[in-house]
Amino acid sequence: MNEKQFPSKIILNILTVLCALAVANLYYDQVLIVHIIKYFNISTSQGGSLITNIQIGYTLGLLLIVPLGDRFNRKTLIVTSLVSSAIFFSAMAFSPNFFIMKVFGLFMGFSTVSAQLVIPFVSSNSNTPNKGKLTSKLLFGVFLGVLIGRVISGLLGQYLDWQMIHLIISFILLIGAIFTVVILPRDSTNKQSTYIAILKSLPEIVKDQPVLRETMVFGFADFATFNIFWVPLTFILVRHPYNFDTGIVGLFGLIGVLGSLAAGFSGKLADSSNARNWNTVALFTMIFSFLLLSFTWQNIIGIIIVTLILDVGSRMNMTLNQGRIYHLDVKLHSRLNSLYMVTYYLGGSLGSIIGTRAYQNFGIKGLVVSSISILSATISYSLFKSKHKK
């Protein structure tokens, strides 16, 4: 393969699918948990601890494994991540009890970071100036992975038991690892001396990189408010006036595909000189969606429009953020991605808590007020930083 042509269109498409399959690992059991609870004869709250373990493992993987890409060959790390995920996913299927399954779930989440290794690999090893455009393509795969995990597992769960689904997914991940070995070129970026030095450098990188700090704030607010809406959405749709069953609620996630298309045009915006301003536009778009929610939530067309606008703003912001950080020093790409994604998922965790409690105590008004407050504070921070620079 001629590395000067990396990535070719076909390779980029394959890697996009690979990112989708990797991220989907985190969401399959969010739907299959109903069957897992019945199989092990446990309570709903006990079943929820499996999802928590997977998310904790993933966050730790983002913090501890993704930075390894600045020390070791990212191609090797990607293959190792895919194979390890396949092994732990299979192990979950053969777990003799729920506690053992939770342990394997933690390790599965920890190893499921290949998508966040693929993105800096492509960005660092490509010689195109349009890194935002490349990133947006791969991020579409990441966004699609959320849909695949929730919708596909729900459909398969009607015909196959959860253990068989785990084994099928494991086989697909191993096929993905083989494709990775064949299609990816050598990782040609310069590497750091030691892993300890890399971890010690993380606070210094945050201190020295104002663009990273800003995108971390944007990402935190983005995913927090995204989950403030999406986590209680099931409760909204299964209650009056909708009274939908869970099957229809799951299919509601298909709207996310349309929102993910925003990654296409926002990738080009990330390569522009005023990308920062487009971040503000994305956050204002999200604010508009919550304002709309406040008086349209009892109309299904209104809910669909709100979901679409929120997804467009969120995906646009995410793509702009990652496109901007990949224009920074190529030797730092894995660490930059690690720091950004850890903050992003911490925001999502906080948003899940706020969304649940706000809806339980204050209904739709609680979701709207909490989300707009977070987004407004973030925009104010951005405007203050912009004025301070001048």
Side-chain angles (χ1 to χ4, degrees), residues 9 57 84 166 278 314:
K9 186 174 181 179
S84 299
H166 272 231
W278 286 111
S314 177

Side-chain angles (χ1 to χ4, degrees), residues 272-329:
S272 66
S273 58
N274 59 348
R276 186 176 188 274
N277 295 333
W278 286 111
N279 271 119
T280 305
V281 172
L283 296 175
F284 270 118
T285 301
M286 296 178 72
I287 286 180
F288 176 73
S289 71
F290 282 102
L291 290 173
L292 194 62
L293 175 68
S294 64
F295 59 87
T296 64
W297 71 273
Q298 291 183 312
N299 182 293
I300 187 60
I301 300 300
I303 286 282
I304 291 173
I305 293 173
V306 166
T307 304
L308 179 61
I309 294 174
L310 178 65
D311 271 34
V312 167
S314 177
R315 303 318 189 198
M316 180 180 175
N317 184 68
M318 173 70 157
T319 304
L320 285 163
N321 286 337
Q322 291 207 294
R324 290 176 65 192
I325 63 176
Y326 287 131
H327 280 287
L328 301 177
D329 188 349

Side-chain angles (χ1 to χ4, degrees), residues 63-81:
L63 181 63
L64 300 176
I65 296 180
V66 173
L68 285 172
D70 290 333
R71 172 66 180 91
F72 300 105
N73 188 313
R74 289 192 186 99
K75 179 177 179 178
T76 302
L77 291 174
I78 293 167
V79 174
T80 302
S81 172

Side-chain angles (χ1 to χ4, degrees), residues 94-109:
F94 292 111
S95 298
N97 57 62
F98 186 65
F99 175 79
I100 297 298
M101 185 179 185
K102 287 201 300 182
V103 173
F104 284 133
L106 180 72
F107 283 108
M108 189 278 290

Side-chain angles (χ1 to χ4, degrees), residues 21 74-75 93 100 147 154 205 229 285 290 307 337 354 376:
L21 293 174
R74 289 192 186 99
K75 179 177 179 178
I100 297 298
L147 175 67
I205 291 174
F229 172 78
T285 301
F290 282 102
T307 304
N337 193 43
I354 293 175
S376 297

